Amino acid sequence: MRRWLLSMLFLSVGAIPAAAQRWTVEVQARVSRTQVGMGETVVYTVDIIGALPDGLRMPEPPPTEGLALVYPTPTVHRQYSLIGGRIQQRIRYSWRFRPVRPGKARIGAFRLQVGDQTLATEPIELAIYDAPTAPPAESAPNAPSAAPDLFIEASLQPTIPYEGQQTVLEYRLFFREGLQVWRSRLVGSWETEGFWREELEVEDRPLPERVLRNGAAYYTFVLQRIALFPTRSGMLQIDPLTIESEVSLQPDPLDPFASLLRPGPSEPQRVTAPALTVTVRPLPDGAPSGFVDAVGRFRLEAEASPTEVSVGEPVTVTIRLSGSGNLPTLTPPRPDVDTSFAVYPADDALTLDRRGARLTGTRTLSYVLVPGRAGRFTLPPVRLAYFDPEGGVYRTLTAPLPELVVHPASATPTAPVATASPAAVHSRSFSWIRWLPYAGGGLLVILLLLLLAQRRRAARRPRPSPVQPDTLPPSTLEPRLFYRRLEETLRRAAGRYLGEDVRGLTRSRLCDRLRQRGLPEAEVARMARLLAACEAACYAPTPPDPIQTLHDHREAARLLEFLEKKAPSEEGA
């Protein structure tokens, strides 16, 4: 009997906390704003506070009138605290709605089933206007932040560059905790008028880092990093950058398997980084003699080979210029020799390293010197005057060249002359003249046979295709590298077609020049599409689709074939 009474007493005592716990759950609902314009969104947030049971199911969004749900799955945030020796939870569910028509809108009561009790909130009335509106001044101070779930941030370093100085433009994508973002791609065109630009490499599959912005937690990664070189001073404009990304919500950020077992639905979202206005400073006065347009930090090397030749034999001078300046656009140095030598440019190769936070590289130039007279020559050193923007001063680099020894041109040796009597000489001369017609006829036959054989070989030789196999990069390359090389190939072909250097032209200007030269509109449009595809591929955190890459490769082959066929006839005309 005593044991039964003790058991009943124990169960009664244990039921007291359970009964008390039944009434410790509180539900609060609020909106980010009560006045919403068409095209804007409103965030509806529900806080569930208390000692919640395990396995609480995710609630359904409240019913609405005049509003549409942006995402069916809410953003979830959990917080735990210890109050009075008990663990208390705060779970926050946030839904985003957009208005469907002006007038009155309504968010109905939110209902939550906890055990055997049903908790409900009061409905909320909203006013919808035709035009966007600012949040009302009487908003509660504890209303949730209206910070966006997804945005792009642009940074420029340095912010006020000199003309020709490398400045790095970086675009970062920020997204709220609980969101998943992928397949980011460029929308529309993006121009940097007044800048020469070079793309820098970023991670194809970046690992987002967690940061705080305006008191809210975000994840972020680098979308794009570009090295810009201003080609003139003054106020320059960088176009807005618009990215479209696939965005979905994780059902529960604290559940590591939620995105695998219950992936949330996705929908495309566009975000835009605003246009940037850049103030470019002109280069200061006091430039040394020989300065043209080199800006940055450089190293200079030079060599000549061979150092001992005869008159008329070539000497190759190789100049290597490396560093982090405007290597693609600067006027390169060249040997400063007198009229004793003829100078011929031989090669100009540029190798860029895009892997770091800044663009670096090496430009290798070759010149052929042909001496016109014999002697010993001390070649003047190669010099490069440049402006160092970090130090704010002009500097001059010097690379010595070796001494050259030029011998006189070797004379052709003459055959020894034998003496003979006048009769013998007369007899030999007469004999040689007698055979002259036969020798001339034989030589003519030999020349005709050689000419006929050469024509036959030329007829059998296959004519080269207008697009050589090595003209286009293979479509099997890593996508970013493929599109980067494809853009270089297209611009080289356009430059040959126009007969000018098009490296500094924007896409729109290049297409205008092709149109003015008489390129058919269909081919101009193809060029514009391909260049836009090259730019877009460099912005996507995930690689482009292989089928699209193969399609662009074929389109580029057709365009290059057309340009190669058209250019000779245009020049001939």
Side-chain angles (χ1 to χ4, degrees):
M1 186 66 176
R2 288 181 179 178
R3 290 181 179 178
W4 182 79
L5 290 174
L6 288 174
S7 299
M8 292 299 295
L9 180 62
F10 176 78
L11 291 173
S12 300
V13 172
I16 294 174
Q21 185 175 345
R22 176 181 178 182
W23 305 105
T24 58
V25 178
E26 181 183 0
V27 178
Q28 301 173 354
R30 58 181 178 271
V31 292
S32 58
R33 54 200 304 185
T34 57
Q35 298 177 5
V36 187
M38 294 299 296
E40 298 177 333
T41 59
V42 58
V43 179
Y44 178 81
T45 302
V46 173
D47 287 326
I48 305 172
I49 309 167
L52 301 176
D54 295 334
L56 182 65
R57 297 182 60 182
M58 181 175 295
E60 296 292 329
T64 61
E65 297 176 9
L67 297 171
L69 189 61
V70 177
Y71 301 115
T73 308
T75 303
V76 184
H77 296 276
R78 297 178 185 267
Q79 182 180 353
Y80 297 89
S81 59
L82 186 63
I83 300 177
R86 291 185 178 181
I87 295 179
Q88 179 171 287
Q89 299 184 55
R90 175 188 290 267
I91 305 179
R92 174 173 294 175
Y93 296 99
S94 298
W95 289 271
R96 188 177 291 273
F97 296 93
R98 60 170 177 263
V100 296
R101 59 181 177 273
K104 294 293 185 181
R106 184 175 185 271
I107 300 178
F110 172 82
R111 300 183 185 278
L112 178 69
Q113 188 72 28
V114 181
D116 59 352
Q117 60 179 330
T118 300
L119 305 177
T121 63
E122 294 294 329
I124 300 177
E125 302 288 338
L126 303 174
I128 311 300
Y129 297 93
D130 287 326
T133 62
E138 64 272 16
S139 297
N142 60 345
S145 172
D149 289 339
L150 193 72
F151 66 93
I152 299 177
E153 198 173 82
S155 62
L156 198 65
Q157 186 61 36
T159 56
I160 308 178
Y162 285 99
E163 179 181 348
Q165 180 184 3
Q166 178 178 178
T167 178
V168 178
L169 175 61
E170 185 177 274
Y171 288 103
R172 276 187 169 270
L173 182 66
F174 291 79
F175 56 95
R176 287 270 197 172
E177 187 176 13
L179 293 180
Q180 290 179 323
V181 180
W182 72 98
R183 294 178 186 170
S184 298
R185 52 197 173 272
L186 178 69
V187 177
S189 62
W190 179 72
E191 300 292 347
T192 54
E193 191 71 32
F195 291 93
W196 172 269
R197 75 186 190 212
E198 293 286 347
E199 310 292 337
L200 299 178
E201 293 182 5
V202 296
E203 290 289 338
D204 289 335
R205 301 182 182 275
L207 181 63
E209 56 180 308
R210 194 172 186 271
V211 297
L212 288 178
R213 281 291 186 277
N214 301 321
Y218 286 91
Y219 284 96
T220 180
F221 61 85
V222 177
L223 265 179
Q224 184 69 4
R225 190 179 290 124
I226 310 105
L228 299 176
F229 299 89
T231 58
R232 62 177 184 267
S233 59
M235 304 293 287
L236 300 182
Q237 188 85 3
I238 298 176
D239 282 357
L241 179 78
T242 301
I243 295 293
E244 185 175 80
S245 301
E246 296 291 331
V247 180
S248 66
L249 290 173
Q250 294 178 347
D252 189 346
L254 298 179
D255 183 358
F257 302 101
S259 61
L260 299 177
L261 302 179
R262 302 184 304 277
S266 65
E267 75 169 32
Q269 271 201 29
R270 291 187 179 185
V271 287
T272 301
L276 296 178
T277 300
V278 184
T279 302
V280 180
R281 293 178 286 178
L283 296 179
D285 297 332
S289 174
F291 173 79
V292 182
D293 54 6
V295 180
R297 286 193 169 183
F298 303 98
R299 295 181 301 276
L300 182 65
E301 300 173 300
E303 60 183 21
S305 177
T307 57
E308 188 170 351
V309 294
S310 298
V311 172
E313 294 181 348
V315 176
T316 300
V317 175
T318 303
I319 300 172
R320 280 182 292 274
L321 181 63
S322 56
S324 61
N326 56 338
L327 284 170
T329 60
L330 62 79
T331 302
R334 58 177 293 156
D336 184 17
V337 295
D338 58 23
T339 56
S340 301
F341 294 88
V343 182
Y344 303 97
D347 194 16
D348 186 349
L350 177 64
T351 302
L352 297 177
D353 186 356
R354 309 171 186 271
R355 295 170 296 178
R358 297 178 62 80
L359 184 74
T360 59
T362 301
R363 191 167 176 179
T364 305
L365 305 115
S366 298
Y367 297 90
V368 174
L369 308 184
V370 180
R373 62 183 179 88
R376 302 182 72 92
F377 299 92
T378 301
L379 297 178
V382 178
R383 300 181 185 275
L384 175 72
Y386 69 98
F387 178 70
D388 180 0
E390 297 182 19
V393 296
Y394 289 94
R395 305 182 190 275
T396 301
L397 295 175
T398 303
L401 288 173
E403 183 182 62
L404 294 185
V405 178
V406 182
H407 299 287
S410 57
T412 304
T414 58
V417 178
T419 59
S421 63
V425 172
H426 181 270
S427 175
R428 289 175 184 173
S429 300
F430 179 81
S431 176
W432 177 79
I433 294 174
R434 184 179 60 185
W435 290 101
L436 183 60
Y438 300 100
L443 181 61
L444 181 60
V445 171
I446 292 173
L447 290 176
L448 290 174
L449 291 175
L450 289 175
L451 181 60
L452 180 61
Q454 182 179 3
R455 288 186 176 181
R456 287 181 176 178
R457 284 197 300 269
R460 290 195 300 267
R461 187 183 302 123
R463 293 186 178 181
S465 171
V467 181
Q468 298 294 334
D470 59 345
T471 299
L472 278 174
S475 59
T476 54
L477 281 178
E478 189 273 328
R480 289 183 186 276
L481 181 59
F482 166 76
Y483 279 101
R484 188 176 299 121
R485 291 185 178 177
L486 177 61
E487 182 177 8
E488 295 171 356
T489 302
L490 292 172
R491 286 185 174 272
R492 281 198 302 269
R496 288 194 300 271
Y497 178 80
L498 295 172
E500 62 183 78
D501 186 3
V502 301
R503 290 181 300 173
L505 296 181
T506 63
R507 173 157 45 92
S508 59
R509 278 198 170 185
L510 174 59
C511 291
D512 288 342
R513 291 287 299 115
L514 292 171
R515 194 176 288 110
Q516 293 168 5
R517 180 65 188 271
L519 189 67
E521 188 60 36
E523 302 304 323
V524 174
R526 180 176 292 174
M527 173 69 79
R529 286 196 304 271
L530 287 171
L531 291 178
C534 293
E535 293 180 1
C538 295
Y539 289 95
T542 57
D545 187 87
I547 297 178
Q548 183 63 39
T549 302
L550 184 60
H551 173 74
D552 292 339
H553 186 276
R554 292 173 179 171
E555 286 288 296
R558 296 190 186 98
L559 176 60
L560 292 177
E561 183 176 2
F562 185 91
L563 291 175
E564 293 293 334
K565 286 181 178 179
K566 199 72 175 175
S569 63
E570 293 275 342
E571 291 171 4

